[in-house]
């Protein structure tokens, strides 16, 4: 299980005290629950790798949410698969619904851990956000360390290197069928375009890692949001 896991919910506040009606769309003649409340509004769609350390992801997401709540006076509303997905859905259905869920969110938050660059699902979530008209400045980078402890300089440097050296040909999904379907999407979008979209976040990754390193070194600064919007 992952540290972000919680009970089923439509879009959830980071406090996990969410409620509301879930949206549905017609799918092969039937109504399918998308796990999204269209009336509540979704601040961010959260992308993360299930292979990254769960406690480190919780810590990074909580730090970001704390900063947003302090600045805006309310906790952010996020769509996180571990909290919002209906487990009975097959992976194929989750893949089909991904663009709808992303389109309903105002911004895209990437929990950048050490396995994200190797996870084809995470890469295509980012690409889908951009293809659906999401602006680069609406992509938020939140670095994730190796474990639940403070991030180290070496760990953050590895995060930067994973984006700097990114090539989609090395990314894979957890299941062979998902990999095949996502590779088809990459081919339609264009390999070079996908590579460029991912590498374009490198300046924001560097900035976010630098801020996190400073925050970890200075406890009094730890409450500040450690995020960076991607600029074009």
């Amino acid at each position: 299980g992952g540290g972000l896991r919680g009970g089923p919910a439509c879009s959830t506040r980071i406090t996990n005290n969410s409620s509301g009606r879930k949206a549905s769309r017609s799918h092969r003649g039937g109504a399918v629950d998308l796990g999204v409340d269209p009336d509540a509004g979704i601040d961010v769609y959260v992308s993360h790798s299930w292979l990254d350390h769960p406690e480190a992801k919780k810590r990074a997401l909580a730090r970001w949410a704390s900063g947003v709540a302090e600045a805006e006076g309310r906790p952010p509303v996020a769509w996180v698969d571990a909290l919002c997905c209906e487990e009975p859905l097959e992976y194929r259905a989750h893949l089909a619904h991904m663009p709808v869920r992303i389109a309903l969110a105002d911004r895209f938050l990437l929990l950048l851990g050490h396995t994200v660059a190797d996870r084809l699902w995470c890469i295509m979530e980012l690409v889908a956000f951009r293809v659906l008209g999401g602006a680069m400045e609406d992509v938020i980078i939140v670095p994730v360390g190796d474990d639940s402890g403070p991030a180290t300089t070496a760990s953050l440097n590895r995060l930067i290197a994973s984006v700097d050296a990114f090539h989609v040909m090395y990314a894979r999904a957890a299941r062979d069928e998902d990999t095949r379907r996502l590779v088809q999407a990459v081919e339609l979008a264009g390999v070079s375009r996908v590579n460029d979209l991912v590498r374009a976040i490198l300046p924001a990754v560097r900035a976010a890692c630098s801020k996190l390193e400073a925050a970890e070194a200075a406890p009094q600064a730890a409450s500040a949001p450690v995020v960076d919007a991607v600029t074009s």
Side-chain angles (χ1 to χ4, degrees), residues 6-223:
C10 12
S11 57
T12 182
R13 294 193 183 278
I14 300 301
T15 57
N16 291 343
N17 294 325
S18 60
S19 62
R21 295 183 294 106
K22 298 177 184 178
S24 63
R25 293 291 185 272
S26 176
H27 179 66
R28 295 188 179 179
V32 176
D33 192 342
L34 296 178
V36 175
D37 181 357
D39 299 322
I42 304 173
D43 295 318
V44 293
Y45 177 101
V46 177
S47 176
H48 71 102
S49 168
W50 284 87
L51 298 182
D52 286 326
H53 196 286
E55 290 302 320
K57 289 189 290 185
K58 278 181 61 176
R59 184 168 178 260
L61 192 57
R63 182 191 298 111
W64 171 78
S66 176
V68 172
E70 183 177 346
E72 299 184 3
R74 66 170 180 84
V77 177
W79 195 94
V80 188
D81 58 1
L83 299 176
C84 303
C85 273
E86 292 294 338
E87 291 296 335
L89 287 182
E90 297 179 354
Y91 267 67
R92 183 187 304 180
H94 285 307
L95 180 60
H97 298 164
M98 179 213 297
V100 178
R101 293 164 173 158
I102 291 175
L104 290 172
D106 294 332
R107 306 182 78 185
F108 181 92
L109 188 150
L110 179 61
L111 283 174
L112 182 62
H114 292 280
T115 69
V116 164
D118 297 325
R119 307 309 297 168
L120 194 52
W121 190 285
C122 298
I123 299 308
M124 292 313 295
E125 285 176 321
L126 173 60
V127 171
F129 180 76
R130 293 290 289 118
V131 169
L132 290 168
M136 292 296 282
E137 57 265 27
D138 289 330
V139 177
I140 303 168
I141 305 299
V142 178
V144 176
D146 287 323
D147 51 38
S148 58
T152 65
T153 299
S155 174
L156 295 174
N157 284 340
R158 287 197 299 274
L159 284 182
I160 294 170
S162 71
V163 176
D164 191 20
F166 174 80
H167 197 296
V168 71
M169 69 178 290
Y170 298 115
R172 293 290 183 272
R175 299 167 183 250
D176 290 341
E177 181 181 356
D178 294 336
T179 297
R180 180 178 59 80
R181 289 174 178 273
L182 290 169
V183 165
Q184 291 175 343
V186 169
E187 291 172 346
L188 288 172
V191 171
S192 61
R193 186 184 182 196
V194 170
N195 288 336
D196 288 344
L197 284 172
V198 175
R199 292 171 188 159
I201 70 174
L202 182 59
V205 170
R206 292 184 187 277
C209 287
S210 178
K211 286 186 178 182
L212 177 56
E213 186 174 21
E216 296 283 18
Q220 66 272 18
S223 61

